Amino acid sequence: MFETKLAKWNHTILSIVIFAAATGCSPPPKEALSTSKSHAGHSVEHLLTAKPQGKPVVYQVFTRLFGNTNTNNTPWGTIEENGVGKFSDFTDTALQGIKELGTTHIWYTGVPHHDLITDYSAYGISHDDPDVVKGRAGSPYAVKDYYSVNPDLADDPAKRLQEFEALIARTHKNDMQVIIDIVPNHVARNYKSLAKPEGQSDFGEHDDTSVEYAKDNNFYYVVGQDFQVPLPLDGYQPLGGDEHPLADAKFIESPAKWTGNGSRKAQPHFHDWYETVKVNYGVKPDGSYDFPRLPEQYLQLGFEQHAQFWQDKVVPDSWRKFRDITHYWLDKGVDGFRYDMAEMVPVEFWSYLNSSIKMKNPQSFLLAEVYNPELYRQYIQFGKMDYLYDKVEFYDSLKAIMQGKEKGEVLHQIQSGHQDIERHMLHFLENHDEQRIASDDFAGKVGGAEMGMPALVVSALISKSPTLLYFGQEVGEDGSEDLGFGDPSRTSIFDYGAVPAHQRWMNNGKFDGGQLTGSEKALRNFYADVMKISAFHPAMLGEYMAVEIKADQVADIGTGEILSSPAKDKLVAFVRYTDKQQVLVISHFEQQRSIKLAVVLDNQQLETLGLKTDAYVAVDLLTGAEHRLIVEDQLGLLELTLAPMQSVVIQL
């Protein structure tokens, strides 16, 4: 029936022999093919020795979890009960294991010194109050000292900064760059730097607290009212109810400050970011701006012109503080920053900050969390961001496709709409805010981590966008641990704990995958292969072409029956190409059925790719399997069989 349907097309197409690892069919004789895998110019094996083509791969590690070998995972467990990872756990071997995934940048999450409950008073560090700390290990986004690092991460807390500097050097030695977090929208309620350079003042140190707003105040104030700890919900108790001398439902702050998410109440809601206070950037309470605005023509100008614009401008004090903080870390060897909730801060500040960073290090890597698609171009062009999260459009749609709630073709619409900014839009499947793919709430008990395999291929290869991987993703970590404040399905960023699947790859510090299951090893190998293609293949910096799959081009592998329209909705197909390289990518999101697929390229597509009448050898970079693309009568045909959740990356 499938062949009959194909025969009804207006052009004659030569029949070809198909083979693929998923079908069990025998391959054609080697002599029938003009090229074998050993001659394939860009197999993954070849790419291993290539240099990155310029498309970054960011590997995010939650630093205090990465090297922890403790397996207790006790809810609300202390650092002694559940253990903690250290800077020193990132050995050369560990770093080379990260680099195997095509990594160019490591984002060390949770490095700046933030609020936490462990007692470091012996090192002159003040106690933090459990009533305004989330979890026992604390939120990495409630920073209390931007000029120091988390003492949990050091073997010797007194030398914590030197230990981080050594990690920066080790990362560079292993040919990767270092990214850390900057959280400009808010700081911890008890911000106080012990390590600030001479001449620097703390946030709020010189504020006029008698007024709600002043341009050079670092915070906003609820004048005449004292801060009150939010009322707990659902029986919540700080530290899970464990006793602590400061856990008394009180925190002294007079007058109260606005809360990090913008709440102007002296007693914020429990769901507000009550552990933080909002930083004032010269935005008045009525929303008007108290700083110079960028002229429209600066959308098209480079960072040098932006830096020159700000040279003679008077800006709010908080702008200068964050400039000095970022420059401090650049001087330490940090290569870039991930900016938390960047859209909550005026875009002019980003022009000021980022242009100053680029003047200091033009190669710095600047990544921002911006969720409003209408603001993307403004934060890239005015704000001089290198990269933004592509969450609300691309990630959210891809997640819906994985869960069977959306059609594959929607990604082509998004990609077409991003053509002018695609290289600035960071793609990801997991990060510390999102559910683990293998969690029950995401993949359910059926798909598991394998559901992420076709999505990874699409996410990493569809555009010039960089890709972010979250540690443990590549071995199917499910984030199911209930550690206290954090919710299962996301690996907790608030609690002391460990990451079981990742620990099996760590193998007690050997970092060789020695304890991984067979399926976990296969998954990691798959990730490594895909990410090497993403990082190294020249076509990944080339152009994008959508390939339409029609309903009558898909058949059931068992019965040969033409499948209905929903079958093609579970396919995403596109070509990435340069004038010398063409790669056809197809991902099959169906979880149960194997299919036979006829990929058809029309005359316009063939001309764009420079393909003329001939029989072309096509090599799958993921398996080494060879196929044939037949071009005749101004049509191209390549037949494939695809197993459930299988992808092919075919070098034409």
Side-chain angles (χ1 to χ4, degrees):
M1 184 181 298
F2 191 50
E3 288 74 12
T4 302
K5 194 75 174 180
L6 291 176
K8 292 181 180 180
W9 293 347
N10 295 327
H11 299 273
T12 302
I13 302 175
L14 297 178
S15 60
I16 64 175
V17 180
I18 313 162
F19 77 98
T23 66
C25 299
S26 299
K30 287 287 181 184
E31 58 270 19
L33 299 170
S34 59
T35 305
S36 69
K37 183 181 178 185
S38 62
H39 298 102
H42 286 285
S43 65
V44 170
E45 290 84 353
H46 170 78
L47 295 174
L48 287 172
T49 59
K51 292 183 178 180
Q53 299 296 315
K55 182 174 173 177
V57 176
V58 181
Y59 191 81
Q60 180 191 5
V61 293
F62 203 84
T63 314
R64 72 163 175 265
L65 298 178
F66 179 87
N68 187 17
T69 57
N70 186 302
T71 59
N72 289 339
N73 279 346
T74 303
W76 292 102
T78 65
I79 193 171
E80 293 80 15
E81 290 173 309
N82 284 353
V84 69
K86 303 290 185 179
F87 291 134
S88 59
D89 293 321
F90 292 89
T91 62
D92 289 326
T93 303
L95 291 169
Q96 283 299 308
I98 292 172
K99 192 178 178 183
E100 287 174 358
L101 298 166
T103 303
T104 56
H105 296 73
I106 303 181
W107 166 16
Y108 291 105
T109 306
V111 167
H113 187 179
H114 59 78
D115 276 357
L116 48 86
I117 301 304
T118 299
D119 183 356
Y120 288 106
S121 58
Y123 302 93
I125 299 171
S126 61
H127 292 289
D128 297 322
D129 192 325
D131 293 304
V132 288
V133 176
K134 290 181 176 177
R136 190 181 290 275
S139 168
Y141 299 105
V143 177
K144 70 177 288 185
D145 186 351
Y146 263 116
Y147 290 102
S148 189
V149 298
N150 182 356
D152 279 348
L153 305 177
D155 295 313
D156 180 355
K159 298 180 179 178
R160 55 193 182 277
L161 192 55
Q162 295 95 312
E163 291 187 30
F164 181 56
E165 290 172 334
L167 175 57
I168 295 172
R170 262 195 324 278
T171 306
H172 289 164
K173 185 180 75 170
N174 284 278
D175 200 25
M176 292 175 288
Q177 297 190 329
V178 173
I179 301 170
I180 64 170
D181 291 283
I182 297 291
V183 191
N185 178 69
H186 48 271
V187 296
R189 293 205 100 94
N190 60 333
Y191 187 94
K192 184 174 179 59
S193 175
L194 297 178
K196 59 182 179 290
E198 186 177 352
Q200 294 289 343
S201 60
D202 281 335
F203 285 97
E205 185 176 337
H206 300 302
D207 280 8
D208 177 1
T209 62
S210 68
V211 295
E212 181 180 30
Y213 166 85
K215 178 178 179 178
D216 283 323
N217 274 1
N218 297 144
F219 303 128
Y220 301 90
Y221 294 91
V222 187
V223 179
Q225 297 185 55
D226 294 340
F227 173 79
Q228 297 180 59
V229 172
L231 297 175
L233 295 181
D234 303 325
Y236 169 80
Q237 292 179 290
L239 309 183
D242 289 352
E243 291 186 2
H244 188 281
L246 296 179
D248 55 4
K250 297 177 183 178
F251 179 78
I252 298 174
E253 181 182 282
S254 183
K257 303 179 181 76
W258 287 15
T259 295
N261 62 321
S263 172
R264 306 183 185 191
K265 297 179 180 179
Q267 184 177 37
H269 191 275
F270 186 79
H271 290 318
D272 289 327
W273 304 346
Y274 62 84
E275 78 280 22
T276 65
V277 291
K278 186 169 180 61
V279 176
N280 165 27
Y281 283 88
V283 180
K284 298 177 181 179
D286 65 4
S288 61
Y289 292 159
D290 203 359
F291 50 77
R293 305 302 304 276
L294 277 168
E296 192 72 18
Q297 65 264 29
Y298 278 79
L299 282 169
Q300 309 303 326
L301 298 180
F303 67 82
E304 299 92 343
Q305 289 82 11
H306 280 246
Q308 186 175 8
F309 175 85
W310 294 110
Q311 277 186 349
D312 60 352
K313 303 297 189 296
V314 178
V315 298
D317 181 72
S318 58
W319 294 31
R320 298 190 296 272
K321 277 187 166 61
F322 272 105
R323 178 202 59 196
D324 294 343
I325 288 165
T326 54
H327 287 209
Y328 170 85
W329 288 111
L330 291 173
D331 289 339
K332 295 288 185 187
V334 168
D335 303 288
F337 306 101
R338 180 267 187 186
Y339 298 130
D340 186 76
M341 295 307 295
E343 67 189 272
M344 297 182 75
V345 177
V347 72
E348 280 83 1
F349 163 74
W350 293 116
S351 165
Y352 169 85
L353 179 69
N354 289 340
S355 63
S356 77
I357 290 172
K358 289 293 186 180
M359 291 298 291
K360 195 174 182 70
N361 177 9
Q363 303 305 315
S364 58
F365 186 102
L366 305 177
L367 166 64
E369 190 179 26
V370 174
Y371 292 140
N372 183 352
E374 294 181 0
L375 297 178
Y376 287 168
R377 288 161 182 82
Q378 187 177 140
Y379 277 76
I380 293 168
Q381 295 165 352
F382 260 149
K384 295 300 156 197
M385 296 294 184
D386 292 323
Y387 307 105
L388 307 180
Y389 278 29
D390 201 347
K391 170 182 162 54
V392 172
E393 292 181 324
F394 195 88
Y395 166 80
D396 286 349
S397 298
L398 186 55
K399 180 177 180 179
I401 293 168
M402 295 165 69
Q403 295 177 329
K405 301 174 183 177
E406 183 59 272
K407 299 178 180 179
E409 63 188 11
V410 71
L411 296 182
H412 296 306
Q413 300 167 13
I414 294 169
Q415 181 62 18
S416 296
H418 285 177
Q419 285 300 287
D420 61 322
I421 58 171
E422 65 166 328
R423 67 171 61 246
H424 298 283
M425 302 306 297
L426 179 101
H427 285 181
F428 60 87
L429 299 182
E430 290 186 2
N431 61 49
H432 66 277
D433 286 321
E434 306 298 340
Q435 292 175 321
R436 292 285 195 177
I437 296 169
S439 68
D440 287 348
D441 289 344
F442 190 141
K445 300 182 184 300
V446 179
E450 288 75 15
M451 277 184 64
M453 295 170 70
L456 176 72
V457 170
V458 172
S459 180
L461 305 186
I462 197 172
S463 76
K464 299 171 186 174
S465 305
T467 301
L468 180 145
L469 302 177
Y470 189 38
F471 85 114
Q473 173 186 344
E474 71 277 13
V475 290
E477 175 57 41
D478 65 9
S480 61
E481 294 72 37
D482 183 0
L483 294 175
F485 193 91
D487 295 326
S489 84
R490 295 171 176 84
T491 297
S492 175
I493 66 170
F494 306 105
D495 306 293
Y496 294 115
V499 185
H502 170 72
Q503 285 182 318
R504 291 192 284 276
W505 174 73
M506 284 172 53
N507 192 21
N508 294 316
K510 296 179 182 178
F511 299 101
D512 60 1
Q515 297 180 32
L516 291 175
T517 66
S519 61
E520 289 168 345
K521 287 180 181 178
L523 184 65
R524 193 176 195 279
N525 289 338
F526 180 83
Y527 266 80
D529 286 346
V530 173
M531 295 315 302
K532 283 167 187 141
I533 296 170
S534 176
F536 297 113
H537 200 291
M540 294 302 110
L541 288 180
E543 301 305 312
Y544 150 87
M545 174 193 295
V547 175
E548 182 183 6
I549 303 295
K550 298 179 180 179
D552 58 4
Q553 293 171 235
V554 186
D556 187 289
I557 193 67
T559 66
E561 178 184 358
I562 297 294
L563 298 175
S564 60
S565 181
K568 65 103 174 174
D569 294 338
K570 296 181 181 297
L571 288 162
V572 178
F574 53 88
V575 176
R576 298 297 310 283
Y577 65 96
T578 66
D579 56 350
K580 296 181 179 179
Q581 302 280 351
Q582 304 91 26
V583 177
L584 171 66
V585 181
I586 305 172
S587 276
H588 182 214
F589 286 82
E590 167 66 50
Q591 296 182 36
Q592 297 180 340
R593 179 162 40 195
S594 296
I595 60 169
K596 185 176 182 180
L597 173 66
V599 181
V600 180
L601 301 177
D602 62 29
N603 186 50
Q604 183 177 350
Q605 291 172 318
L606 294 173
E607 287 186 358
T608 299
L609 298 175
L611 299 176
K612 303 182 183 302
T613 300
D614 205 341
Y616 294 88
V617 173
V619 180
D620 184 359
L621 296 179
L622 295 178
T623 64
E626 294 171 329
H627 308 275
R628 297 186 79 191
L629 170 67
I630 305 300
V631 178
E632 183 170 286
D633 293 337
Q634 299 183 330
L635 277 184
L637 172 67
L638 186 147
E639 289 190 336
L640 298 168
T641 54
L642 293 175
M645 297 186 289
Q646 184 185 357
S647 298
V648 292
V649 181
I650 297 177
Q651 174 85 39
L652 299 179

